[in-house]
Amino acid sequence: MRVVSLVPSLTEAVALTRPEVLVGATDWCTHPAGLDVARVGGSKYPDLDRVRALEPDLVLLNEEENRLADADALRAAGVPVRVTFPRTVPEALSQLGELVAALGVPGEPDWLRDARRAWVTPPAPATPRAAVVPVWRRPWVVLGRDTFAGDVLRRLGVTNRYADHPERYPRPGLDELRGREPELVVLPDEPYRFTADDGPEAFPGVPAALVSGRHLTWYGPSLAEAPALLAAQLAAAT
């Protein structure tokens, strides 16, 4: 089997489960460290000629991270594709289990079993808080309804002020964001790299939690340590 992954979290999952089958990944596939496979460009605009040249038996995509046009082009070229789109933690765990089975692995790898156990009873905060969760600025983009990251936070006691918004990634102005009167602002370090000096100053008087974007948005081996790590980062925002 030859697998090309256009999804960083799935690249990590394959690399830690059946590394010998992984022949290609995007430039953004940073885990595991030292990954030595052919690179095929970005997630949004991969080099499809390079993908096809690797003669994959399977290409992994995500409905949110990748473009439908690329999935259609690969299918038209006779390349098998697998498209995932989890919007909750249980969906992510289920789709990862299906991926592992598709890779021909007998039983589940340790990282997936650990992830399942970690999310049975995630850490509960002393006091649940309502938050806004920007994922970009200039312009501001926040988590809206029906997102995987939103479900991760909900399970850790954080209520998203935009969870009932009709859009999945609304673009409110800063005045509107402040007007939602958040008790917390959650600032991940990807896709936009929020830092202590870039983000919190826009929400004066509101506690800011700087969190790992990989653990908030990736669905793969990082799910095993995500509950404890994110809970600690959220609790540090006072």
Side-chain angles (χ1 to χ4, degrees), residues 2 47-56:
R2 295 173 62 82
D47 185 329
L48 296 187
D49 288 337
R50 200 178 304 172
V51 172
R52 288 189 290 265
L54 292 170
E55 300 181 346

Side-chain angles (χ1 to χ4, degrees), residues 131-154:
V132 293
V133 191
V135 293
W136 201 261
R137 72 180 301 180
R138 304 184 189 94
W140 290 97
V141 181
V142 300
L143 294 184
R145 64 167 183 86
D146 202 23
T147 66
F148 172 74
D151 188 61
V152 166
L153 291 171
R154 182 184 66 80

Side-chain angles (χ1 to χ4, degrees), residues 92-174:
L93 294 171
S94 176
Q95 291 179 27
L96 287 166
E98 293 168 358
L99 171 61
V100 166
L103 295 175
V105 177
E108 291 189 341
D110 290 344
W111 64 262
L112 184 51
R113 288 194 294 270
D114 290 345
R116 292 190 190 281
R117 284 194 294 266
W119 284 99
V120 170
T121 310
T127 304
R129 289 184 281 185
V132 293
V133 191
V135 293
W136 201 261
R137 72 180 301 180
R138 304 184 189 94
W140 290 97
V141 181
V142 300
L143 294 184
R145 64 167 183 86
D146 202 23
T147 66
F148 172 74
D151 188 61
V152 166
L153 291 171
R154 182 184 66 80
R155 293 170 188 275
L156 296 173
V158 176
T159 301
N160 180 7
R161 287 290 200 206
Y162 283 85
D164 59 353
H165 196 279
E167 298 178 11
R168 298 184 67 243
Y169 293 97
R171 299 188 174 199
L174 184 55

